Amino acid sequence: MPLLLVRHASAGDRAQWVGDDRERPLDKRGRKRAEELVAQLEPYPIEAILSSPARRCVETVEPLARARGLEIEQRSELGEELQATEGVALVRSLADRSVVVCGHGGLEQVLADPPRWKKGMVFVVGPGLELLDVL
């Protein structure tokens, strides 16, 4: 029952976005990656999908949620402002469940000595918060 920690897919350049950054959508490459996650995560059981409320995070897991018939639970703890504290605590509380958690760069610090977490990357995490695989 691994936890699947997903970093949101590509959403263009933050510096070029005008407006509330929480509303920045996935770009073409990000939408393609979001669709790819459906097949890539097919072998894994998923009981729930949690996401940062940021549009780019929600859009990253929308195709997966649709394919699995699951609702996306938007959690403020996974937003950029709270992820280092409340987000880490939330992920730790889910470590023994088959859950997808989609968040931002920095959330990977819940793991001991994590590798670089690129946009759209998935960390497969064991119940002791050990890194099992990188997708």
Side-chain angles (χ1 to χ4, degrees):
M1 296 194 334
L3 171 75
L4 302 169
L5 197 58
V6 179
R7 182 168 178 193
H8 71 76
S10 178
D13 185 352
R14 178 187 303 250
Q16 293 183 5
W17 175 255
V18 177
D20 186 343
D21 190 59
R22 293 172 293 193
E23 293 302 320
R24 184 163 43 100
L26 295 179
D27 59 20
K28 183 177 179 179
R29 186 175 61 183
R31 288 189 302 274
K32 181 178 185 289
R33 177 65 181 139
E35 292 292 340
E36 292 169 350
L37 288 174
V38 175
Q40 191 172 32
L41 300 182
E42 196 276 327
Y44 297 94
I46 298 172
E47 64 184 74
I49 299 174
L50 284 64
S51 175
S52 161
R55 182 175 174 185
R56 58 193 174 274
C57 292
V58 173
E59 287 182 352
T60 297
V61 292
E62 277 180 337
L64 180 64
R66 214 173 18 256
R68 297 290 182 109
L70 295 169
E71 295 292 321
I72 299 168
E73 185 179 339
Q74 294 183 34
R75 300 291 297 259
S76 61
E77 302 99 303
L78 298 172
E80 285 184 297
E81 305 82 14
L82 298 176
Q83 71 177 358
T85 54
E86 293 179 33
V88 166
L90 175 62
V91 171
R92 286 186 176 137
S93 77
L94 299 169
D96 61 345
R97 294 184 53 202
S98 298
V99 175
V100 170
V101 176
C102 186
H104 307 269
L107 190 59
E108 75 277 13
Q109 296 307 313
V110 72
L111 306 174
D113 196 29
R116 185 166 178 245
W117 199 28
K118 298 178 185 174
K119 291 180 182 172
M121 189 177 278
V122 179
F123 286 165
V124 181
V125 180
L129 292 175
E130 70 277 9
L131 183 62
L132 302 176
D133 201 0
V134 177
L135 309 175

